[in-house]
Each structure stands twice: as structure tokens, then as C-alpha cells.
């Protein structure tokens, strides 16, 4: 039974944890015609709390014992995290890894379904989630997990390939960014780390929380970069499509941006620059970015490179996860609505502006 009754057609959403992911999800919630942002929870009155207030987002204290810090900093609180949870139809928990699992008892106490992020383990939740793969499985769940940026990127690519050609075996090397641009304490600064040094990395098993029977091995390397991850992908398919057929399939999916040769984009820095120049908020790339020139077939072996903007790729998935949990909207409708409101379009109409008839976040 949906928590969103006939009395209220708007889904009331609370965001607990207003950092890299939480602030982007809050902005995206505000753009949806069927959602109302109840507020965001912060542990302390820093610059992110200041910008939340500038945007008109009601601010809640995530740690009641620290509520006085907000008053001392002259920041008005709307309440404490428990109030946010009880006032919301669904909570998006975007707290640091491990904190989300600790918060689950609070969500259960208030019978408020919650969406955790990829830093949590799959056993903390009822289902792991990627919209185009398993939207319908979320119905009735209390706790959902939007999988990590890398797992989301791999799942989005594998789903149409497996559905159309069959995937015999996927092998992926993940070249991982050392930290997000605002993470001053991450690295490496001057090294290339096998990470993890053991093979396979955890990403393959994480993909199998979405596709339980898929054969996939992943290895990871961490490099001194902050902008995006890069995946070197090799997938053995059951059949051997042409490169043109493959590209046509991938280009039909708006959440896969097949980067055309004509744009002369050489790497992740220019991808991000393209997004910024195009007016994307924060230079966000919500799509997998696949270099069209890299798509190659050798027999039934597919090779390609794709880049994943770790700060942004899970944002549309969180929006769809909200609807999957507490609305009756079918997957295709939710995905289309999310794409439309964010400004995610297929290749020929690649647009980077969000809808103009909606309030824009203040710093866009
Ligand atoms: N960044 C990525 O690349 C990425 C990509 C995909 C998924 N994820 C996952 O998304 C989740 C969040 O990651 P993130 O990168 O957004 O982290 P983040 O930038 O560190 O943001 C999390 C925020 O939560 C706040 N916080 C800390 N303790 C809290 C508590 N007890 N209650 C409420 N808020 C608390 C912190 O802000 P204050 O203490 O200032 O309030 C912090 O800024 C993790 O599971 C992560 O693995 C991250």
C-alpha cells in the first residue's frame, strides 16, 4: 500500500546527509512535479548548511546534541532529524558510509521507507536498486539501496546488452578517482594503486546484487584524479552484433551518452568542461559517458571505454527509487519524468539545461 494517499499526490521527501550526493538529490527532488522537499539534515552549521538555507531548504539538526551550534551560528533550524523522518513519506539517506545502516532503526521506528547509498552493504537493505534493471522489485520494500557510482554505471551498460545480445562474461578494469574534488584528505597525490590489490574487486559481486546470475569479474586501480572514474570494459556477448548496431542500441538510452567523435572530447576533463559550458548544475554528468570511437568488436568480444561522474550518476536513480518505493508510477514513466525534469535527453537532442519552468537551485 502506497504511503502517498489520495489526500496528497505530492511525495514528501526528506534528505538526511547533505554532502556530495545529498545536496544533488535535494536539488533534483525540488525539480520533480510530484515531489516536495521537506528538508535536509546537517550535523553542523558549515557552508553547506548556509547554502541549503540560501536555497530555502528547511534545515534539520542530524544530531540533537549539536542543535545549539546552529543557533550559535545564527542558522534557524526547522527541527531535528526525528521530525524530518516523521514528516516525510520517504527519506533519502546520503550520510557517510556506515552511518546509513545505523540510521535504519530510526526509519523503521517511524515506518518511513528509506533509500540508502552505495557505501552501505546490501545486507542492510531489502533490495539494491538500478532503475532500468529492477525498479519493480522496490515495491513494498522498507529499505532500498541505490548502488554505488561504479555499480550503477556498469549495470546501466550491462542491462541493454544482456537483454539484447546476452552477456556470456564481463571483465572490467575500473580506474578510480582518488577522491571527490572537495575531499582535501584523499589521495593518492602521486601514485597508481592497485585498489584493491586482490582480484576480483568488490564491484563485480555488487553488480550481482542487481543481476544475480551475471558472470562478471572486476579489478580496480586508484589514480591521482578527482573528476571521474574510467572503465575499460570487455564483454563477451552471446552473439556478434556490428559496431553500428551496438552504438544504435546504446544511443537509444538517454542515460548512456555515447560521446560522438565530432565533439573532439579527449578525456574526463573535457567531458566535465563540456557539461559546465552547457550549463549543467555543478558540471554534473548524470549519464554514463561512452566514447563512441572506443566501441570495438573482436568476434563476440565487445571493447569500450566509459567514464562515470561519481558525484552525479546516482542522482536520477535516487529520484526513481523514491517513486519505486512510495508511488504507483511504472518504471518507464518515472525514468522518463526524471530524465525530462533533469534535462537528460538522447544523443540527437543532447541538452544540458534543466527545465526552465521550474525553480532553479540558487547556485546553478
Ligand atoms: N561521492 C561519491 O562519489 C559517491 C558516489 C556514489 C555513492 N556515494 C555514497 O553516497 C553516500 C554519501 O556519500 P557522499 O560522497 O555524499 O559523502 P559526503 O560528501 O561526505 O556527504 C555526507 C554528509 O553527511 C553528513 N553527515 C555526517 N554524519 C552524519 C549523520 N550522523 N547524520 C546526518 N548527516 C551526517 C556530513 O555533513 P555534515 O557533518 O557537515 O552535516 C557529510 O557532508 C555514501 O554511502 C557513499 O558511499 C558516494
Amino acid at each position: 500500500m502506497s504511503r502517498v494517499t489520495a489526500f496528497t499526490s505530492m511525495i514528501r521527501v526528506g534528505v538526511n546527509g547533505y554532502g556530495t550526493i545529498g545536496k544533488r538529490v535535494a536539488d533534483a527532488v525540488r525539480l520533480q512535479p510530484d515531489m516536495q522537499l521537506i528538508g535536509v539534515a546537517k550535523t553542523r552549521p558549515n557552508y553547506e548548511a548556509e547554502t541549503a538555507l540560501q536555497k530555502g531548504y528547511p534545515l534539520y539538526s542530524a544530531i540533537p546534541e549539536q542543535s545549539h551550534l546552529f543557533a550559535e551560528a545564527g542558522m534557524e533550524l526547522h527541527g531535528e532529524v526525528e521530525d524530518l523522518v516523521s514528516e516525510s513519506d520517504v527519506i533519502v539517506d546520503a550520510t557517510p558510509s556506515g552511518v546509513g545502516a545505523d540510521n535504519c532503526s530510526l526509519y523503521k521506528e517511524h515506518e518511513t521507507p528509506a533509500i540508502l547509498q552505495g557505501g552501505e552493504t546490501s545486507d542492510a537493505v531489502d533490495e539494491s536498486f538500478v532503475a532500468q534493471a529492477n525498479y519493480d522489485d522496490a515495491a513494498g520494500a522498507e529499505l532500498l539501496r541505490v548502488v554505488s557510482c561504479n555499480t550503477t554505471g556498469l549495470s546501466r551498460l550491462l542491462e541493454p546488452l544482456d537483454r539484447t545480445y546476452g552477456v556470456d562474461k564481463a571483465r572490467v578494469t575500473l580506474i578510480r578517482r582518488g577522491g571527490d574534488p572537495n575531499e582535501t584528505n584523499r589521495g593518492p597525490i602521486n601514485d597508481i594503486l592497485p585498489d584493491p590489490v586482490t582480484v576480483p574487486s568488490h564491484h563485480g559481486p555488487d553488480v550481482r546484487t542487481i543481476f544475480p546470475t551475471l558472470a562478471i569479474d572486476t579489478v580496480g586501480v586508484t589514480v591521482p584524479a578527482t573528476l571521474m572514474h574510467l572503465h575499460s570494459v570487455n564483454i563477451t556477448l552471446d552473439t556478434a552484433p556490428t559496431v553500428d548496431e551496438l552504438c544504435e542500441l546504446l544511443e537509444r538510452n538517454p542515460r548512456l551518452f555515447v560521446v560522438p567523435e565530432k565533439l573532439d572530447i579527449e578525456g574526463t576533463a573535457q567531458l566535465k568542461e563540456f557539461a559546465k559550458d552547457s550549463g549543467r548544475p555543478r558540471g554534473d554528468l548524470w549519464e554514463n559517458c561512452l566514447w563512441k570511437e572506443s566501441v570495438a568488436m573482436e568476434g563476440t568480444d565487445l571493447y569500450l571505454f566509459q567514464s562515470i561522474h561519481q558525484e552525479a550518476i546516482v542522482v536520477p536513480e535516487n529520484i526513481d527509487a523514491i517513486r519505486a518505493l512510495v508511488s504507483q508510477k511504472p518504471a518507464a514513466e518515472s525514468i522518463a519524468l526524471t530524465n525530462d525534469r533533469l534535462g537528460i535527453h538522447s544523443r540527437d537532442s543532447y541538452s544540458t539545461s534543466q527545465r526552465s519552468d521550474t525553480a532553479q537551485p540558487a547556485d546553478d
Side-chain angles (χ1 to χ4, degrees):
M1 173 76 180
S2 167
R3 279 173 64 97
V4 185
T5 65
F7 300 108
T8 163
S9 57
M10 297 290 270
I11 306 171
R12 296 168 299 179
V13 182
V15 176
N16 188 15
Y18 189 73
T20 303
I21 302 299
K23 66 178 98 168
R24 287 172 166 82
V25 171
D27 290 351
V29 165
R30 201 171 66 162
L31 291 167
Q32 306 307 310
D34 54 347
M35 296 183 192
Q36 179 193 358
L37 182 69
I38 296 298
V40 302
K42 287 275 305 161
T43 72
R44 59 197 169 116
N46 69 349
Y47 71 96
E48 287 166 325
E50 175 65 25
T51 54
L53 289 171
Q54 284 172 10
K55 291 176 181 201
Y57 298 168
L59 197 57
Y60 291 74
S61 167
I63 301 178
E65 298 75 37
Q66 293 183 191
S67 295
H68 65 96
L69 297 177
F70 291 87
E72 286 159 23
M75 292 188 193
E76 193 183 339
L77 281 179
H78 219 77
E80 295 180 344
V81 65
E82 199 159 347
D83 304 316
L84 179 66
V85 175
S86 71
E87 291 162 20
S88 300
D89 294 315
V90 58
I91 287 286
V92 176
D93 183 302
T95 58
S97 304
V99 178
D102 291 343
N103 286 338
C104 289
S105 55
L106 174 67
Y107 306 143
K108 284 189 172 176
E109 201 180 301
H110 288 270
E111 297 181 10
T112 305
I115 297 162
L116 309 188
Q117 306 303 313
E120 310 302 328
T121 57
S122 60
D123 51 15
V125 296
D126 303 313
E127 293 289 342
S128 296
F129 182 87
V130 173
Q132 71 189 44
N134 65 349
Y135 182 99
D136 293 339
D137 296 345
E142 288 183 334
L143 295 167
L144 204 60
R145 179 181 71 121
V146 167
V147 293
S148 74
C149 45
N150 281 311
T151 305
T152 299
L154 290 172
S155 300
R156 275 191 197 164
L157 174 67
L158 286 161
E159 190 276 333
L161 294 175
D162 195 34
R163 176 167 37 85
T164 312
Y165 306 117
V167 168
D168 179 47
K169 170 95 182 181
R171 300 171 185 83
V172 184
T173 301
L174 299 104
I175 300 157
R176 308 161 69 187
R177 59 85 175 103
D180 293 340
N182 69 345
E183 290 182 307
T184 51
N185 57 345
R186 298 273 299 254
I189 291 176
N190 182 23
D191 206 346
I192 301 172
L193 305 174
D195 182 18
V197 71
T198 49
V199 176
S201 72
H202 68 275
H203 303 92
D206 206 31
V207 168
R208 278 196 292 275
T209 66
I210 304 295
F211 304 102
T213 58
L214 194 110
I216 177 168
D217 284 339
T218 53
V219 298
V221 176
T222 299
V223 296
T226 63
L227 300 176
M228 299 176 82
H229 303 294
L230 187 127
H231 297 171
S232 173
V233 177
N234 166 219
I235 301 172
T236 306
L237 300 169
D238 290 338
T239 55
T242 65
V243 167
D244 284 350
E245 286 167 342
L246 269 166
C247 288
E248 267 172 42
L249 173 77
L250 300 173
E251 283 166 347
R252 276 202 298 273
N253 184 332
R255 291 191 185 172
L256 303 177
F257 172 35
V258 182
V259 183
E261 186 177 358
K262 68 179 180 190
L263 294 184
D264 199 16
I265 291 177
E266 291 181 354
T268 58
Q270 290 177 0
L271 270 176
K272 289 282 293 162
E273 192 72 1
F274 178 55
K276 283 188 273 185
D277 288 351
S278 303
R280 284 279 176 103
R282 302 185 178 91
D284 280 352
L285 286 154
W286 300 293
E287 309 92 333
N288 296 28
C289 299
L290 292 83
W291 269 274
K292 188 167 186 172
E293 295 155 274
S294 74
V295 179
M297 288 295 300
E298 291 289 335
T300 54
D301 270 350
L302 161 66
Y303 293 88
L304 61 83
F305 289 124
Q306 67 170 1
S307 283
I308 303 298
H309 182 202
Q310 73 281 354
E311 298 170 293
I313 190 171
V314 297
V315 172
E317 307 301 323
N318 271 278
I319 298 300
D320 291 326
I322 292 167
R323 292 199 189 93
L325 267 184
V326 297
S327 85
Q328 308 294 331
K329 212 175 270 302
E333 277 182 36
S334 174
I335 292 169
L337 183 56
T338 305
N339 288 351
D340 180 57
R341 302 311 285 201
L342 287 175
I344 299 171
H345 301 295
S346 60
R347 176 184 60 124
D348 289 338
S349 56
Y350 185 74
S351 158
T352 49
S353 56
Q354 293 173 330
R355 285 178 63 111
S356 57
D357 59 344
T358 333
Q360 297 296 301
D363 65 345
D364 289 349

